[in-house]
Amino acid sequence: MSRFFTKSLSALQPYTPGEQPQDMQYIKLNTNESPFPPSPRVLEAIDREEVSRLYLYSDPDCRALIGAIAKRFGLEPDQVTVGNGSDEVLWFALRAFCDENTPLAYSDITYGCYSTWCGLLNVPSVLLPLKEDYSVDLSLYQKLDATVMVTNPNAPTGICLSPAQIEDILRANPDHVVIVDEAYVDFGGESCVPLIRRYDNLLVVQTCSKSRSLAGARLGFAMGSAELIADLNRIKFSFNPYNVNRLTCLAGIRAMEDEDYFRLCTRTVAETRDRTAEALKQMDFRLTDSKANFLFAQSSRIPGGELYRKLKEKGILVRHFDKPRLEDRLRITVGSREQMEALLTALRDLGA
């Protein structure tokens, strides 16, 4: 770092995203992208005429997009806000509901970005250890004097809590916001959005990156009480009022409208995930009960780091986390059926 970098952030550890090779020489199963293109309605809508309007700013209120999301989830428009990916929406939430006196409580094994954001915003972290099998210990979520983050399904484990379990956390923390990050919920979990009507401290965050095949468009959204959403918008309009571009707004609207395509893609991914999981179990892999679009797998024969490197040599990228309790596991994105067959073939060749 330069001599000008602020000393208060000198110890900041940036989040490390998964590898993103641009030459596409790999089968890419490391960043949980969809194996499918966006909805045909998205491709039809973003035409030459729409591209020609890029000299104009986008609507800072994103009214049409927010209206489409609200309609899809049975909410009012003032119960929804949007951002440049769910990362931005979550950052707005941390800025709104946490400070040096209000920590963020979250699992000790989950997204690495939470701890990075806490460091960036000078927010203390309260780490809640997962059990040995990576499941959530709900007893640790009682009466926390903190904003609570629940990743559901969790990453990288894929394990999911039920709405009833989330409701227990909400009831146990009535005076603090409970943020439920549902990036992967569409692949087998049950959303907590219906609970918004009963709990004014619930904020549900979702993304269009996974189940709606818009990772490159960068679109996330939050849903909650009108008061919570007003808080997030207060942050948004103080920081980046034009945070969602014109083409992404249009893509998001069309993706929300194409329910049939959404259900086809998510159902196919879930079926491919379960089929691959059974094949891995037959090879003596240990697996969590993933409800996400990835598998969290451990070979009984080859250590995680070594297996990651050997798969890369064979042209297959998966995600390896060189951290305690994770070092022997791989997070494997569920790709197309052909990609998963190629993965299984490579694993058999390696004797995994």
Side-chain angles (χ1 to χ4, degrees):
M1 68 186 73
S2 78
R3 60 191 175 92
F4 305 104
F5 194 70
T6 179
K7 290 181 174 57
S8 63
L9 296 179
S10 59
L12 184 67
Q13 294 296 318
Y15 174 71
T16 303
E19 299 167 84
Q20 291 285 1
Q22 298 303 303
D23 56 8
M24 296 306 291
Q25 63 177 311
Y26 293 98
I27 294 176
K28 205 165 165 295
L29 304 176
N30 67 323
T31 49
N32 299 341
E33 294 148 319
S34 172
F36 304 109
S39 160
R41 296 189 193 183
V42 172
L43 303 180
E44 292 168 3
I46 300 179
D47 55 18
R48 186 179 183 87
E49 182 179 356
E50 291 296 337
V51 172
S52 73
R53 295 185 178 131
L54 285 176
Y55 67 97
L56 298 170
Y57 280 113
S58 58
D59 174 12
D61 294 313
C62 301
R63 282 166 290 192
L65 172 59
I66 284 174
I69 296 171
K71 181 179 179 181
R72 164 62 173 75
F73 288 93
L75 300 172
E76 296 300 320
D78 63 0
Q79 293 178 294
V80 179
T81 193
V82 294
N84 190 284
S86 58
D87 286 351
E88 185 180 56
V89 176
L90 288 164
W91 191 89
F92 289 163
L94 264 65
R95 192 67 186 88
F97 307 124
C98 299
D99 58 23
E100 60 273 11
N101 298 312
T102 307
L104 182 71
Y106 53 95
S107 298
D108 64 336
I109 296 176
T110 189
Y111 286 123
C113 55
Y114 299 157
S115 62
T116 297
W117 294 335
C118 285
L120 189 63
L121 296 170
N122 195 29
V123 169
S125 292
V126 176
L127 296 182
L128 306 172
L130 295 180
K131 296 179 182 178
E132 193 62 30
D133 64 356
Y134 303 111
S135 63
V136 172
D137 185 349
L138 288 172
S139 69
L140 301 179
Y141 287 76
Q142 302 298 306
K143 298 181 180 179
L144 292 165
D145 189 19
T147 298
V148 183
M149 180 76 76
V150 181
T151 311
N152 198 50
N154 194 17
T157 68
I159 295 175
C160 196
L161 295 177
S162 68
Q165 291 172 309
I166 297 292
E167 198 166 5
D168 287 342
I169 296 172
L170 287 162
R171 284 197 295 258
N173 298 277
D175 298 321
H176 287 87
V177 174
V178 176
I179 306 166
V180 182
D181 184 347
E182 292 188 343
Y184 301 103
V185 76
D186 296 322
F187 300 101
E190 187 176 350
S191 177
C192 292
V193 169
L195 297 179
I196 288 171
R197 299 179 183 89
R198 302 208 299 273
Y199 296 93
D200 65 355
N201 62 326
L202 171 61
L203 187 74
V204 179
V205 177
Q206 292 193 12
T207 178
C208 290
S209 294
K210 320 298 183 185
S211 57
R212 290 182 171 82
S213 304
L214 293 177
R218 310 307 304 129
L219 177 59
F221 51 99
M223 298 169 284
S225 70
E227 292 77 14
L228 289 184
I229 297 304
D231 293 340
L232 296 187
N233 284 333
R234 190 179 182 92
I235 302 297
K236 168 191 166 177
F237 283 101
S238 300
F239 174 68
N240 185 14
Y242 299 102
N243 63 334
V244 182
N245 71 69
R246 294 178 65 89
L247 298 184
T248 293
C249 280
L250 187 58
I253 292 167
R254 298 297 179 255
M256 282 291 153
E257 292 172 346
D258 198 346
E259 188 71 13
D260 289 343
Y261 187 76
F262 161 79
R263 293 191 181 280
L264 173 64
C265 292
T266 53
R267 183 176 65 248
T268 302
V269 168
E271 290 171 352
T272 305
R273 175 197 64 213
D274 294 344
R275 187 166 46 247
T276 305
E278 285 305 312
L280 289 172
K281 289 176 184 176
Q282 292 174 15
M283 298 165 64
D284 292 329
F285 272 76
R286 294 176 61 193
L287 297 156
T288 57
D289 182 20
S290 175
K291 299 300 182 184
N293 69 334
F294 56 81
L295 294 164
F296 194 47
Q298 179 178 353
S299 169
S300 61
R301 299 179 180 88
I302 304 176
E306 181 182 347
L307 186 54
Y308 155 77
R309 289 186 291 273
K310 288 184 173 181
L311 284 171
K312 187 174 182 179
E313 290 171 2
K314 283 184 168 290
I316 300 174
L317 284 180
V318 296
R319 193 77 193 268
H320 176 246
F321 301 92
D322 190 15
K323 296 179 180 179
R325 297 182 66 192
L326 302 178
E327 63 269 17
D328 279 332
R329 295 254 177 180
L330 299 178
R331 193 195 68 191
I332 304 169
T333 300
V334 177
S336 67
R337 186 167 186 171
E338 293 75 19
Q339 288 174 324
M340 304 316 285
E341 287 298 332
L343 168 73
L344 293 171
T345 297
L347 290 171
R348 293 185 186 104
D349 291 345
L350 291 170

